[in-house]
């Protein structure tokens, strides 16, 4: 009986990596505000890297104040201690926080940063730090263009998925609308999944991408209005390639969702539960 009992451990005696694996099933609020006060071993586990190899702040980032997002990201990425593998966050406000992320991207494989205000110059300066990334989402990042895409293609040789959807009005305002697509064709031959929704590109440009990316399995060209809309044309020419679009359905959906890019913080902060969480998180950040 004693031998059988000795095989079991109390929760506070479990190794940090085991606790971290268990804690990854909890919500962000629970990880930051519920677990730390329980006991020293749990607090140590949740402040270590094991809970922060995968960081999903997408929902939280759409509801918090900008300065809070910056502080939260820096805290959690620092906790990952270089083991960060997956990061999903919307609306980075500046180049500084993007640079910080890339400084800690030695193990990063999946990076999703839609709606972020990052520039061509910072992407060019830091793209070499993203060499392990296989999945990249830079959709609706209005300040970047072909220079950033080319830098990513040159340095991210493992990249197999690129999401670069745009809003129609942003795409229509570009001086050289096909430069990004041409940069993709020239530098990303290993792509298997590509999303270019609402880009102002021609059929010839799309064909150039397809011929330059022989491993391509999925191509989303929804609402690319200048592309040949005859689906039979693509099916006959590329029967093994799944092509979404170029019909306009997605464009109208995007216009319907435009309100989500303009966040009414006063309205969101009427949510008592969320405000309570923010108070707890800010206390944690200040500690």
């Amino acid at each position: 009986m004693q031998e059988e009992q000795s095989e079991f451990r109390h929760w506070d005696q479990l190794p940090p990596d085991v606790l971290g694996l268990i804690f990854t099933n909890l919500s962000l609020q629970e990880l930051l505000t519920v677990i730390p006060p329980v006991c020293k071993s749990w607090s140590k586990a949740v402040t270590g890297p094991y809970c922060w190899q995968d960081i999903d702040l997408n929902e939280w980032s759409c509801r918090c104040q900008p300065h809070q997002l910056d502080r939260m990201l820096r805290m959690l990425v620092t906790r990952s201690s270089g083991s960060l593998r997956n990061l999903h966050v919307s609306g980075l406000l500046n180049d500084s926080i993007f640079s910080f992320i890339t400084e800690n991207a030695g193990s990063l494989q999946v990076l999703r940063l839609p709606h972020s205000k990052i520039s061509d110059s910072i992407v060019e300066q830091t793209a070499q730090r993203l060499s392990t990334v296989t999945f990249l989402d830079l959709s609706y990042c209005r300040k970047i263009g072909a220079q950033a895409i080319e830098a990513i293609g040159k340095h991210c040789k493992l990249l197999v998925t690129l999401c670069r959807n745009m809003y129609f009005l942003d795409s229509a305002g570009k001086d050289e609308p096909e430069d990004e697509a041409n940069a993709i064709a020239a530098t990303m031959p290993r792509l298997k999944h590509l999303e270019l929704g609402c880009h102002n590109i021609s059929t010839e440009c799309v064909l150039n991408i397809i011929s330059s990316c022989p491993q391509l399995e999925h191509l989303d060209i929804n609402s690319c209005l200048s592309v040949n809309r005859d689906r039979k044309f693509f099916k006959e020419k590329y029967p093994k390639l799944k092509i979404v679009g170029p019909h306009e359905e997605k464009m109208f959906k995007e216009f319907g969702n435009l309100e989500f890019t303009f966040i009414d913080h006063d309205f969101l902060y009427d949510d008592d539960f969320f405000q309570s969480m923010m108070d707890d998180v800010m206390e944690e950040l200040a500690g």
Side-chain angles (χ1 to χ4, degrees):
M1 179 66 73
Q2 290 181 350
E3 290 183 0
E4 291 180 0
Q5 291 178 343
S6 65
E7 293 179 2
F8 296 92
R9 294 186 180 184
H10 293 291
W11 278 88
D12 60 353
Q13 295 176 344
L14 290 174
D17 57 335
V18 176
L19 286 172
L21 182 62
I22 296 171
F23 291 161
T24 55
N25 295 296
L26 302 177
S27 69
L28 179 65
Q29 181 192 17
E30 290 168 327
L31 283 172
L32 293 177
T33 64
V34 177
I35 296 301
V38 173
C39 63
K40 290 183 178 179
S41 65
W42 284 27
S43 178
K44 182 179 180 180
V46 83
T47 55
Y50 303 107
C51 290
W52 309 109
Q53 294 178 346
D54 299 283
I55 300 175
D56 187 350
L57 294 178
N58 186 50
E59 182 178 355
W60 191 87
S61 61
C62 292
R63 307 187 72 181
C64 69
Q65 295 285 8
H67 70 279
Q68 293 169 339
L69 174 59
D70 190 285
R71 292 170 64 188
M72 176 71 85
L73 264 175
R74 291 181 185 275
M75 181 184 75
L76 298 186
V77 171
T78 299
R79 285 186 179 184
S80 72
S81 299
S83 65
L84 182 62
R85 298 176 305 190
N86 184 338
L87 177 62
H88 188 183
V89 58
S90 294
L92 297 185
L93 284 182
N94 52 59
D95 288 347
S96 175
I97 188 62
F98 178 78
S99 180
F100 174 78
I101 291 170
T102 64
E103 290 170 2
N104 295 272
S107 302
L108 193 60
Q109 299 173 14
V110 177
L111 181 60
R112 305 179 188 216
L113 302 174
H115 301 286
S116 292
K117 297 179 181 179
I118 55 178
S119 67
D120 277 331
S121 60
I122 195 62
V123 175
E124 288 181 290
Q125 294 170 29
T126 60
Q128 69 273 13
R129 303 173 188 165
L130 301 174
S131 60
T132 59
V133 170
T134 61
F135 184 114
L136 182 62
D137 185 354
L138 294 176
S139 295
Y140 316 114
C141 296
R142 301 170 60 186
K143 292 187 175 182
I144 63 171
Q147 290 175 268
I149 299 301
E150 183 177 359
I152 290 167
K154 288 180 177 179
H155 294 285
C156 303
K157 297 301 184 181
L158 301 180
L159 193 66
V160 294
T161 297
L162 176 66
C163 301
R164 183 65 179 128
N165 299 300
M166 297 288 287
Y167 289 124
F168 179 76
L169 293 179
D170 292 334
S171 179
K174 287 184 174 290
D175 293 332
E176 301 292 339
E178 296 192 340
D179 282 359
E180 284 191 35
N182 290 331
I184 291 170
T187 63
M188 301 181 184
R190 295 187 179 183
L191 282 183
K192 294 183 179 180
H193 184 112
L194 176 61
E195 297 181 12
L196 291 174
C198 284
H199 278 251
N200 185 19
I201 54 179
S202 64
T203 303
E204 290 73 21
C205 191
V206 172
L207 295 177
N208 183 33
I209 290 175
I210 296 174
S211 63
S212 301
C213 304
Q215 300 180 51
L216 200 61
E217 300 171 354
H218 181 106
L219 176 61
D220 187 337
I221 50 173
N222 235 321
S223 302
C224 296
L225 303 184
S226 298
V227 176
N228 189 329
R229 301 181 192 180
D230 183 1
R231 289 192 175 187
K232 184 178 179 181
F233 169 79
F234 286 104
K235 285 183 178 180
E236 291 180 350
K237 199 170 183 66
Y238 306 101
K240 295 182 179 180
L241 176 61
K242 180 180 179 180
I243 297 180
V244 180
H247 48 76
E248 298 91 340
E249 178 184 355
K250 184 174 181 180
M251 180 178 70
F252 293 111
K253 287 182 179 179
E254 296 293 1
F255 274 117
N257 291 332
L258 274 174
E259 60 184 286
F260 293 109
T261 63
F262 304 99
I263 301 172
D264 185 345
H265 291 288
D266 293 333
F267 172 77
L268 292 171
Y269 274 74
D270 287 338
D271 185 334
D272 293 337
F273 174 80
F274 183 72
Q275 183 61 60
S276 176
M277 174 186 169
M278 287 304 309
D279 292 340
D280 291 338
V281 169
M282 288 304 105
E283 183 177 344
E284 168 73 10
L285 288 171

